[in-house]
Amino acid sequence: MALLWIPILSLLASVIASVTGNLNRTTSAWLTATMPAIALGIAIYYTPVVFAGKTLLYSLQWIPAMGINLSFRLDGLALLFVFMILGIGLLVILYARYYLSAKDSMAKFYAFLMLFMTAMLGIVLSSNIIQLWLFWELTSVSSFLLISFWWHQSAARKGARMALAVTGAGGLALLAGLIILGDIVGSYDLDVVLKSGELIKNHTLYPVTLVLILLGAFTKSAQFPFHFWLPHAMSAPTPVSAYLHSATMVKAGIFLLARFYPALAGTDLWFLIVGLTGLATLLFGAYIALFKHDLKGLLAYSTISHLGLITLLLGLDTQLAAVAAIFHIINHAIFKASLFMAAGIIDHETGSRDMRKLNGLFKFMPYTATLAMVASASMAGVPLLNGFLSKEMFFAETLHQQVLGSMSWLIPVLATLAGVFAVAYSARFIHDVFFNGERICLTPPPHEPPRYMRVPVEILVALCIVVGIMPNFVVDGILTSASIAVVGHALPEYSLAIWHGFNLPLLMSFIAVVLGLFVYTQRKYFFQFQASLPSIDAKAWFEFWVQNSVNYSAKLINVFENSSLQRYIFLFLLCVLVLAGLPLFDMVKLAGSEALMPISPQNAVGAGLLIAGALATIIWHRVRIIALLSISIVGLMVSVAFTRFSAPDLALTQLIVEVVTVILLMLALFFLPQKTPKESSSPRILRDLGMASSIGIVVGSICYAMLTRPLSSISDFFLANAKIGGGGSNVVNVILVDFRGFDTLGEITVLGIAALGIYKLLTNLPLFMPSSDGEGRPWAKERHPILLASVSQSLLPLALLVSVYIFLRGHNLPGGGFIAGLITATAFILQYIAHGSQWVSSRFDANYRKIIASGILIALLTGVGSLFFDRPFLTSWFEYFKVPLVGKVELASAIAFDLGVYITVVGATLMILASLGKLTIGTEPKESK
Amino acid sequence: MEILYASCVGILVTCGLFLILRARTFPVVLGLTMMSYAVNLFLFASGRLNSNQAAVLGKSAQYADPLPQALVLTAIVIGFAMTAFVVILSIRGRADLGNDHVDGIIPNKNKVLQRETR
């Protein structure tokens, strides 16, 4: 359980930072740092257990059906990374407190930084590979936010975008790889994956999986040729560079290689890809670093080179290569973070990072200079420092490998060459910045940084020395347990001693130092040569590529999306036609086995009217009033069809809805043009008719195929249980208010929302009020004919009575809340038509919004009520009572639910029509002149 | 009867889609109404066609499938709400945009045609 707290605490730190960041800077830094400090304490507490070889697990079910759990796992490798992430993270918090200027938002910075920390912890602790990927992407996103922290600088924005694009694309490749991996193994659980190494390596999909996962790792760890984003990410604030781009995020790719080492490594393909990529990155980074005039640029390429070194080690087929890789991960994180911080101090105090301007800083900041020099020496691999030890191990391993067959001798030679450049650029970092004459045009004279800004550097440099002198004492435990986690079995003997006697690796180191210093002294010639090469601006190239793909996509989108609704609908219908139509060709016979029903003359007449109405609608669709009248015939015939085919509830509903719809559309027509202009060309009409009739044929055929096939329905359950379970004999109504009551609740809610939307659409409507009909005739002077007014008034109580009757009997006979509600609404609409809305609202001033809300509330509360009787939501209750004189009476909770439906339907229908009708007030008929 | 029923559904779909493909809002609203008839009839047909078998217990020997009926009943009411929403939207659109074209703008090439018909 405490394991879960490590990422949670770091997430809490993010929240704390965002809340407290703008109060007092020092307080905020302390408060933010508490959480990771506690997490570090938890990790230290677990250290003995992990060193004893145990793997801690904590798992919460998340999406069990897909095998995805929220699970965390702590083994040696994870512990090492947790220490690095939390330890360096704490130092960075302290450092950033003094680095950020008063203008920068500390809350934002710390919040993003802690979010990133959470993501990193999530990666290293994940026990589920999909979860690992999720945190992996979170690091990409949070690092985007951190790199673009100074968003007002164009370089920061572009650098952040490039980093996100490259690592994000790699992340997608990784996801694909992990999914295939999970598919091969049959589980997303890391333990299972790690134990299935043989299965994975012998699978035919192994090469694909490997390449996809390596793409993820290489983009994240800035391996050649994906390295170009890292130098551009240096436009981030320096604490970010120290944290993300030296110690943690770029190590995530390395972590991935190490994590899946037991599952994926060991094949020729692995050695070839990983080894050669690492070698190329190592050489390339070391060479380019020498020519960077920007301090952080030099460090960035140096980081690329060192990441290449670690990758190369993981790609070597020797016994101790993995140990050396882990050791160098630790050492690189320590010395590179301190160097970045030193570079940040120099930048902070002088305002420049350009080594052509920065010279002779030693006399201004001797203390910082000494620290930076020690760290650089470690980077170069000078004895008695930690960098020397892992470099020696690296040289030793290159001598033992057999990766390139008979050409394997090349690797130690090239490794030494990279060492030469590493010494040269480290020498430059020391000599060019702190000595080498006087500083150029930098005023005022720089001085040492604030006391506490130097503390993190001091701690890290002290670690460089301690590890360098007493490696066994300091890192042996964590190195061994992490290496065992990587290799997957016990390690062969190895020694961390400083002195191994005069041997070949020592000679290689010696050559590297001597030649490196020589190269640095002769750097003028190298600079000249480098300047004569054609330069490639990665940013311009990347921007060009991004712009091109954006333009291409825009063009492609414009082909389909030309902002014409008719075109979208046509394309959509085309897809429908293809998807629904093609399978019909696979059917052997359209007609099924069921016997057909004979066509009665009444049915034939009804169908004829329906077809005639439909055709009339499209023939006269430009004369809108005629089209509306024609379509009402169709609706009427649909309602008749429901009557004929044993659906009385439907017939009633359809009939009343039809009336209401036609009234509504007629009212709407008042505000719309009376006629549709002739716009479509004949080919267009032909095209549309063709498309519409094709789909009509397909739908009709499917309908016929369905009608003539035997029915197997789940309704037997409803028929059997309606009376005994729901207490009603009208099964349709029982389904609505009981079996599928939850659906009905959703539907009346939608009805209410639609009505409220209409209300909102009609408020503040700029009115377009015609004073005459389409033919130019003025409206009739008599707005409310006396005959209609008096008849409708006397009809109202009758109609209300009918609706109450329909409502009450609904549970057992055709009727119910929906139908009764529509009848009531229609009766009121008739009053509106007959008397005008002023007349109605002066007598019956109802707030329809409240009516709708109370209807939905009643239905909801009825549902909730069953919870009090320990029954699931919306369980209905009913009982029969004997009432004197009246006889047996049934009481059911469903009737309360149906009442909610009734009220909602009344409110919504009236709201829709009354809101629209109200707009016509003030359009007094005018005499035509 | 099944053939006639299926033909009716097919014709309603045809007419409805043709209207939906028009350029002005009101015919599109009519088209949507027509399509909702067609869809309701189609869904209703999944319970097959039966005469005099209303799903009211004790009123007949056999019962029609009540489930599609219940689904279609709510579909009719929701369909009304949607039609109402779309038609009010088109009124609002006309008031705000000054025309009732589905794209909110009358395309240039049609302006000539429109003037001719006036």
Side-chain angles (χ1 to χ4, degrees), chain A residues 563-566 569-570 573 595-599 603-604 607 610-611 614-615 617-618 621 624 627-628 631 634-635 638 641-642 644-650 653-654 657-658 660-661 664-665 668-669 671-673 676-680 684-685 688-689 691-693 695-696 699-700 702-704 706-711 713-715 718-719 722-723 728-732 735-736 740 747 750-751 754 757-758 760-766 768 812-814 818 822 909 912-913 916, chain B residues 1-59 62-107 109-111 113-118:
Chain A
S563 70
S564 158
L565 183 71
Q566 287 168 284
I569 294 178
F570 188 82
L573 291 180
L596 296 185
M597 207 190 236
I599 303 176
N603 287 354
L610 183 133
I611 293 169
L615 292 179
T617 311
I618 65 164
H621 77 267
R624 294 180 174 180
L628 181 55
I631 207 173
V634 180
V638 171
F642 288 141
R644 299 293 295 178
F645 301 119
S646 322
D649 290 279
L650 289 193
T653 316
Q654 175 68 46
V657 163
E658 190 54 34
V660 180
T661 307
L664 173 77
L665 290 182
L669 207 48
F671 298 100
L672 288 169
T676 309
K678 193 171 183 170
E679 279 176 321
S680 306
R684 167 66 78 90
I685 290 182
D688 290 352
L689 266 182
M691 170 58 74
S693 53
I695 296 183
V699 174
I702 295 173
C703 188
Y704 180 71
M706 181 171 72
L707 280 171
T708 51
R709 278 169 172 72
L711 169 69
S713 169
I714 56 168
S715 296
F718 299 130
L719 290 166
K723 189 75 184 169
S729 50
N730 180 5
V731 187
V732 176
I735 291 177
L736 282 178
R740 314 282 308 169
E747 272 146 18
V750 171
L751 191 65
I758 287 168
K760 207 67 203 158
L761 276 177
L762 288 176
T763 42
N764 299 326
L765 181 70
F768 180 86
N812 293 311
L813 288 165
F818 275 111
L822 286 165
T909 314
I912 293 169
L913 280 140
L916 186 58
Chain B
M1 192 62 227
E2 278 79 1
I3 296 178
L4 197 57
Y5 188 95
S7 318
C8 286
V9 172
I11 287 169
L12 285 182
V13 169
T14 306
C15 296
L17 290 181
F18 177 77
L19 289 173
I20 285 176
L21 283 166
R22 295 304 92 211
R24 300 294 171 140
T25 50
F26 195 76
V28 173
V29 173
L30 290 187
L32 285 171
T33 314
M34 191 93 88
M35 274 306 286
S36 65
Y37 296 149
V39 170
N40 288 342
L41 284 178
F42 183 88
L43 288 180
F44 177 67
S46 68
R48 308 298 184 268
L49 304 181
N50 308 285
S51 291
N52 302 320
Q53 296 182 5
V56 177
L57 299 177
K59 299 283 175 186
Q62 271 192 317
Y63 303 112
D65 193 343
L67 188 60
Q69 295 193 17
L71 297 181
V72 170
L73 198 151
T74 50
I76 293 172
V77 181
I78 296 275
F80 162 69
M82 288 302 118
T83 308
F85 190 83
V86 173
V87 80
I88 304 287
L89 191 65
S90 68
I91 291 176
R92 179 90 209 192
R94 197 215 179 183
D96 286 349
L97 303 167
N99 67 71
D100 67 334
H101 197 280
V102 285
D103 298 334
I105 317 165
I106 299 171
K109 57 173 183 182
N110 289 336
K111 266 189 180 159
L113 258 171
Q114 196 193 2
R115 220 173 285 137
E116 279 165 5
T117 50
R118 265 183 189 168

Side-chain angles (χ1 to χ4, degrees), chain A residues 120-134:
Chain A
M120 266 320 285
L121 289 169
I123 292 182
V124 301
L125 289 173
S126 282
S127 171
N128 181 299
I129 58 177
I130 297 296
Q131 180 194 334
L132 184 152
W133 174 82
L134 203 70

Side-chain angles (χ1 to χ4, degrees), chain A residues 100 103-106 108-109 112 143-161 235-237 240:
Chain A
L100 291 180
K103 280 178 291 179
D104 300 322
S105 162
M106 189 120 134
K108 214 163 99 180
F109 185 82
F112 290 164
S143 80
F144 171 81
L145 295 171
L146 283 167
I147 298 171
S148 62
F149 182 71
W150 287 324
W151 49 268
H152 44 84
Q153 294 173 1
S154 154
R157 292 198 302 271
K158 286 186 176 152
R161 192 167 72 178
S235 41
V240 173

Side-chain angles (χ1 to χ4, degrees), chain A residues 849-860:
Chain A
R849 278 166 292 166
K850 281 185 185 160
I851 294 183
I852 295 173
S854 57
I856 296 175
L857 205 63
I858 289 173
L860 190 66

Side-chain angles (χ1 to χ4, degrees), chain A residues 338-493:
Chain A
S338 64
L339 281 172
F340 266 114
M341 288 181 182
I345 291 176
I346 293 167
D347 186 16
H348 197 255
E349 301 307 324
T350 64
S352 172
R353 297 193 316 234
D354 192 331
M355 277 185 278
R356 286 165 299 191
K357 294 181 187 164
L358 297 168
N359 292 317
L361 285 183
F362 187 79
K363 55 185 150 185
F364 298 104
M365 38 173 78
Y367 200 78
T368 309
T370 312
L371 291 172
M373 276 149 50
V374 174
S376 305
S378 176
M379 174 163 78
V382 171
L384 293 183
L385 296 167
N386 62 349
F388 169 74
L389 294 175
S390 46
K391 208 157 218 178
E392 283 281 295
M393 280 175 90
F394 164 61
F395 284 149
E397 293 314 309
T398 57
L399 290 170
H400 296 136
Q401 47 75 34
Q402 303 276 313
V403 174
L404 296 180
S406 64
M407 295 302 281
S408 297
W409 60 270
L410 250 177
I411 293 182
V413 172
L414 292 176
T416 315
L417 183 62
V420 170
F421 283 111
V423 172
Y425 68 67
S426 303
R428 185 171 181 214
F429 191 92
I430 296 172
H431 183 253
D432 226 0
V433 177
F434 298 111
F435 306 101
N436 199 23
E438 288 297 315
R439 67 186 205 281
I440 302 165
C441 55
L442 286 176
T443 48
H447 52 79
E448 289 281 352
R451 178 74 196 90
Y452 287 102
M453 193 169 177
R454 227 169 39 209
V455 167
V457 190
E458 285 164 2
I459 293 174
L460 289 169
V461 169
L463 271 175
C464 282
I465 298 168
V466 173
V467 173
I469 296 172
M470 302 180 287
N472 276 316
F473 180 67
V474 189
V475 290
D476 194 27
I478 187 81
L479 182 58
T480 310
S481 81
S483 302
I484 289 174
V486 173
V487 181
H489 52 78
L491 298 170
E493 277 297 307

Side-chain angles (χ1 to χ4, degrees), chain A residues 50 332 413 478 533 739 838 903:
Chain A
V50 175
H332 177 255
V413 172
I478 187 81
L533 291 177
F739 295 128
Q838 275 164 325
I903 293 174

